[in-house]
């Protein structure tokens, strides 16, 4: 009985966050949330590169060995023109407009880095792309923040019942964090909690919700 009630609550929470994201996707709240989230992810990548460049290169190399991560790593600059527009105050819909910038900028950046600016230095190339990878992750987190928060909470709750969510459990999530160089259990929990709080921010501070509750 208890498990059924919790299952219903978690499912309702996911649907709630879907509605909240749809309602706020073109608002100032989304823009501000994106600015904060992208800054956090980018700061982590840049700080890691400055403090421990060898570790950053090792993480980037490990990403290239996994097919899914490798595709996202090299495709992440494709989101950069859209991300920059949102960071500059454009709404999500207007930033997603397909134009020459969206198509040409990532290609120009790839060829400039690969063959003109840092030719022959594959490690530096990976560091630059790892930073853009982190920026893209931050942007995706801002878009799917509520859903990611729901997923994080569901993982924690499911762990108490020895279940998994879509064949993923809390341990496998921690293993994934360890693969990208985060070994400390305390820091793993910090990332899960921070991700959940940041993701919930836009849902719990929505103007449409306050208007509806009045």
């Amino acid at each position: 009985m208890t498990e059924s009630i919790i299952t219903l609550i978690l499912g309702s929470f996911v649907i709630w966050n879907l509605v909240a994201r749809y309602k706020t996707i073109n608002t100032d709240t989304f823009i501000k949330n994106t600015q904060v989230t992208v800054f956090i992810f980018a700061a982590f990548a840049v700080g890691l590169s400055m403090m421990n460049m060898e570790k950053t290169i090792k993480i980037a190399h490990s990403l290239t060995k996994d097919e899914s991560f490798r595709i996202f790593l090299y495709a992440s600059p494709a989101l950069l023109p859209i991300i920059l527009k949102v960071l500059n105050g454009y709404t999500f819909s207007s930033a997603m407009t397909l134009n020459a910038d969206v198509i040409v900028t990532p290609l120009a950046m790839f060829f400039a880095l690969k063959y003109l600016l840092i030719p022959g230095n594959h490690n530096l190339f990976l560091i630059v792309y790892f930073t853009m990878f982190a920026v893209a992750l931050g942007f995706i987190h801002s878009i799917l923040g509520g859903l990611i928060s729901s997923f994080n909470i569901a993982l924690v709750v499911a762990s108490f019942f020895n279940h998994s969510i879509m064949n993923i459990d809390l341990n496998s999530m921690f293993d994934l964090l360890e693969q990208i160089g985060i070994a400390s259990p305390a820091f793993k929990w910090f990332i899960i909690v921070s991700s959940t709080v940041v993701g919930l921010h836009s849902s719990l501070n929505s103007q449409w919700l306050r208007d509806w509750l009045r």
Side-chain angles (χ1 to χ4, degrees):
M1 180 65 179
T2 302
E3 187 173 348
S4 298
I5 294 174
I6 294 175
T7 300
L8 178 62
I9 293 173
L10 290 176
S12 301
F13 191 54
V14 172
I15 295 174
W16 167 268
N17 279 287
L18 276 171
V19 175
R21 171 47 64 223
Y22 175 76
K23 293 285 188 178
T24 61
I25 197 67
N26 283 316
T27 64
D28 290 338
T29 300
F30 173 76
I31 295 172
K32 293 176 181 177
N33 194 63
T34 300
Q35 291 169 341
V36 172
T37 309
V38 169
F39 173 81
I40 292 172
F41 277 75
F44 175 80
V46 173
L48 182 62
S49 299
M50 294 174 63
M51 293 293 295
N52 196 334
M53 186 175 293
E54 291 182 359
K55 186 175 185 178
T56 305
I57 294 171
K58 182 179 179 181
I59 295 172
H61 272 298
S62 66
L63 291 174
T64 62
K65 293 178 181 178
D66 183 276
E67 184 175 353
S68 300
F69 281 127
R70 183 171 64 249
I71 293 173
F72 185 49
L73 177 69
Y74 290 128
S76 56
L79 289 174
L80 193 59
I82 297 171
I83 296 171
L84 291 176
K85 287 182 179 180
V86 174
L87 296 181
N88 282 322
Y90 284 75
T91 63
F92 180 77
S93 296
S94 61
M96 288 295 292
T97 303
L98 188 63
N99 52 35
D101 291 342
V102 176
I103 299 172
V104 174
T105 301
L107 294 175
M109 182 179 299
F110 176 83
F111 286 107
L113 290 172
K114 186 70 174 177
Y115 299 107
L116 298 177
L117 301 180
I118 49 178
N121 194 333
H122 187 61
N123 288 337
L124 183 56
F125 177 80
L126 285 178
I127 290 174
V128 173
Y129 262 71
F130 176 74
T131 303
M132 288 188 285
F133 174 78
V135 170
L137 279 180
F139 182 65
I140 292 173
H141 192 290
S142 67
I143 296 174
L144 304 177
L147 295 179
I148 293 174
S149 297
S150 303
F151 185 76
N152 291 343
I153 293 172
L155 281 180
V156 174
V157 172
S159 67
F160 287 101
F161 295 97
N162 295 319
H163 289 313
S164 61
I165 304 296
M166 295 186 292
N167 294 322
I168 301 175
D169 58 21
L170 199 57
N171 289 328
S172 60
M173 180 62 68
F174 285 165
D175 290 341
L176 177 61
L177 291 174
E178 190 152 350
Q179 288 178 19
I180 62 173
I182 300 170
S184 169
F187 198 39
K188 291 176 183 177
W189 275 107
F190 174 77
I191 289 177
I192 294 292
V193 173
S194 299
S195 171
T196 304
V197 171
V198 172
L200 287 176
H201 179 267
S202 60
S203 299
L204 299 180
N205 291 276
S206 302
Q207 184 61 45
W208 68 270
L209 171 62
R210 294 193 290 268
D211 293 340
W212 181 71
L213 291 174
R214 288 174 182 171

